[in-house]
Amino acid sequence: MDGKLVAIRGPIVDVQFSVENSARPSLYEVIKAETQDGRKVILEVVEHIGEDTCRCIAMGSTYGLMRNSPAQSLGSSIQVPYGKQVYGRLFNVLGEPIDYKSEINTKEKIPIRHNHIASALEPKEKKSLEILETGIKLIDLLFPLVKGTKSGILGGAALGKSIITLEIIHNIVKRQQGFCVFIGAGERIREGNELYFELEKQGVLDKTVLVFGQMNESPGVRFEVVQTGIALAESLLEEGKDVLLFIDNVFRFAQAGAELSTLLGRIPSETGYQPTLASEMSQFQERIHPRGTASITAIESVYVPSDDLTDPAVVTIFSYLDSIIVLSRDYVQRGLYPAIDPLSSTSSYLDATVVGKRHMDIASQVLSTFNKYEELRRIVQIIGIEELSKQERVLYERAQRLQNFLTQPFFTAEIYTGRKGAYVTLEETLKGAERILKGELDSMPSDQLYMIGALGEQSAEQ
């Protein structure tokens, strides 16, 4: 079906088709256009205007497109390859490899919007809960990662969201030999480049599929890249494989939707975001669920603008998450890494029926100790630690030891810190926290527990 370009407004392009043709491209169908120098531009239909015009978003730069130039409907939505050939490869939103390796020669392709409505309504099998060990002390102790759930890592700029995400990929994929799909939505090119070479260096690239729509690309690319990534994750599920899905960053997806909404002329909601924010978020979040015996475990990085957790886009994402891990700027300033605020974060699966009674008891004591510490810290800042009672001072110093013990050197941050990374098993974490809570390490200076792995030689000397 042939048409012509009648309007170009940045990444928004209107394509007119002949009125004599009763059928025009349906929503999400692809239209191909060319710039004056022969560069191909893919357009995706998002609205129908009048009887003969389709309003489209461009999956790339529209520089060089001309009015009245021809456009051709391809009769299908965006489709991406799947199968064994996609492992270890890096794709753009259109499913084209961008890693300068060999072409993907396969006729096996799936649409990125793989009947998402029917998919979301499929009955979900009730499965026994299985905990995935991350090797990160603070997460395994207080915010256990359960297979088949969604966890969010929330924080403002430069708090370490991407580093924590990369460390989880490193620890889980390498140790448990799982399959991973990574979606880079609206993040920096540098981060994507570092991630690719880090995965290659650690030998887990062949178990990973990467999809990028980055910060320098059009809002159409940043918006649709999550659909491409989830389609690839779904293809692995159909093969019966458990999948780890990492999305960095979900807020950039919502932000790209707001940009497109403004360019499409839609009236914003009273919060300033697009009126379709909730439906757009649910359209891809509801696709993340188990199929048969295979599960999909999502870890979603969420940028929090101005560290404001009440931002409407962030609040919309909250409702889909089983665990919310909040990063704190105060913890960064105190040098506590990972900078997870245990009192602002929450997990639906920190429950004795899931993690066991011993784990639950230790976690409860840790949270109670941190809560009391925060109250005492305000007093100490004003009158000094000497004014605390003996009992309060013991609790205050134990909390400091706990905070230091729960810091950890990361494998993926070795290049920045010069410290060798540490993987700490859940049992080692529980033993260490238990010993501190019982007062066995009260004579040890708290700085000896800072940035270590499991309790070893440091405590053996005492």
Side-chain angles (χ1 to χ4, degrees), residues 382-436:
I382 299 169
I383 61 175
I385 194 170
E386 294 78 12
E387 298 300 318
L388 297 180
S389 67
K390 185 177 179 181
Q391 185 180 0
E392 286 176 334
R393 185 163 180 171
V394 167
L395 188 144
Y396 183 83
E397 290 175 347
R398 277 182 193 168
Q400 286 184 319
R401 289 185 180 86
L402 266 177
Q403 280 188 338
N404 283 353
F405 171 66
L406 292 174
T407 61
Q408 186 170 343
F410 282 180
F411 293 100
T412 50
E414 286 176 2
I415 191 171
Y416 310 115
T417 63
R419 293 174 182 264
K420 186 171 174 56
Y423 182 101
V424 185
T425 65
L426 175 59
E427 182 58 29
E428 289 171 332
T429 300
L430 292 174
K431 280 181 180 175
E434 199 169 31
R435 291 187 65 189
I436 294 169

Side-chain angles (χ1 to χ4, degrees), residues 154-423:
L154 287 74
L159 296 187
K161 297 182 298 298
S162 298
I163 284 286
I164 293 174
T165 302
L166 186 54
E167 185 74 3
I168 294 172
I169 294 174
H170 171 275
N171 289 354
I172 294 182
V173 177
K174 188 166 186 178
R175 285 191 171 248
Q176 302 191 20
Q177 298 299 306
F179 286 87
C180 164
V181 175
F182 182 92
I183 305 172
E187 285 299 292
R188 300 168 185 83
I189 300 171
R190 171 187 59 77
E191 290 179 353
N193 188 65
E194 288 174 0
L195 170 65
Y196 180 85
F197 287 109
E198 183 65 30
L199 293 175
E200 190 174 49
K201 175 185 167 187
Q202 299 295 340
V204 296
L205 188 60
D206 61 339
K207 297 278 187 181
T208 308
V209 183
L210 300 102
V211 187
F212 282 106
Q214 294 178 281
M215 196 174 275
N216 64 320
E217 299 188 73
S218 71
V221 171
R222 288 180 272 125
F223 183 75
E224 288 293 16
V225 72
V226 295
Q227 306 290 352
T228 299
I230 290 174
L232 287 165
E234 286 174 336
S235 72
L236 293 174
L237 282 181
E238 297 298 332
E239 295 175 15
K241 292 170 180 168
D242 289 333
V243 182
L244 279 167
L245 176 66
F246 293 88
I247 308 170
D248 189 10
N249 186 299
V250 181
F251 177 81
R252 303 293 183 197
F253 161 76
Q255 194 176 43
E259 289 177 45
L260 290 173
S261 181
T262 302
L263 290 163
L264 290 167
R266 294 173 184 158
I267 298 172
S269 64
E270 62 180 13
T271 61
Y273 284 96
Q274 65 270 41
T276 52
L277 174 63
S279 62
E280 288 169 1
M281 195 63 66
S282 67
Q283 197 176 82
F284 94 87
Q285 292 279 10
E286 292 297 341
R287 291 175 69 177
I288 305 172
H289 65 80
R291 310 284 166 83
T293 58
S295 65
I296 182 165
T297 307
I299 297 169
E300 306 179 10
S301 174
V302 184
Y303 169 70
V304 180
S306 304
D307 295 347
D308 179 14
L309 291 170
T310 63
D311 183 88
V314 177
V315 171
T316 303
I317 298 165
F318 274 168
S319 58
Y320 297 99
L321 302 175
D322 300 300
S323 297
I324 297 169
I325 298 170
V326 180
L327 304 186
S328 162
R329 199 164 297 279
D330 179 50
Y331 276 56
V332 169
Q333 290 166 351
R334 285 152 61 188
L336 300 172
Y337 297 101
I340 297 170
D341 184 346
L343 300 179
S344 299
S345 308
T346 181
S347 172
S348 303
Y349 293 100
L350 187 61
D351 187 277
T353 58
V354 179
V355 299
K357 185 177 185 305
R358 177 184 173 228
H359 185 159
M360 186 63 203
D361 288 346
I362 294 171
S364 298
Q365 287 181 61
V366 168
L367 289 171
S368 175
T369 302
F370 283 156
N371 197 36
K372 183 65 177 173
Y373 171 76
E374 284 303 315
E375 294 174 12
L376 294 174
R377 193 165 72 93
R378 295 189 185 95
I379 297 169
V380 168
Q381 286 174 335
I382 299 169
I383 61 175
I385 194 170
E386 294 78 12
E387 298 300 318
L388 297 180
S389 67
K390 185 177 179 181
Q391 185 180 0
E392 286 176 334
R393 185 163 180 171
V394 167
L395 188 144
Y396 183 83
E397 290 175 347
R398 277 182 193 168
Q400 286 184 319
R401 289 185 180 86
L402 266 177
Q403 280 188 338
N404 283 353
F405 171 66
L406 292 174
T407 61
Q408 186 170 343
F410 282 180
F411 293 100
T412 50
E414 286 176 2
I415 191 171
Y416 310 115
T417 63
R419 293 174 182 264
K420 186 171 174 56
Y423 182 101

Side-chain angles (χ1 to χ4, degrees), residues 1-4 15-18 21 23 25 31-32 70-73:
M1 196 187 307
D2 294 327
K4 64 177 182 179
V15 185
Q16 188 178 55
F17 292 86
S18 171
N21 260 336
I31 296 172
K32 184 175 75 173
Q72 181 183 15
S73 171

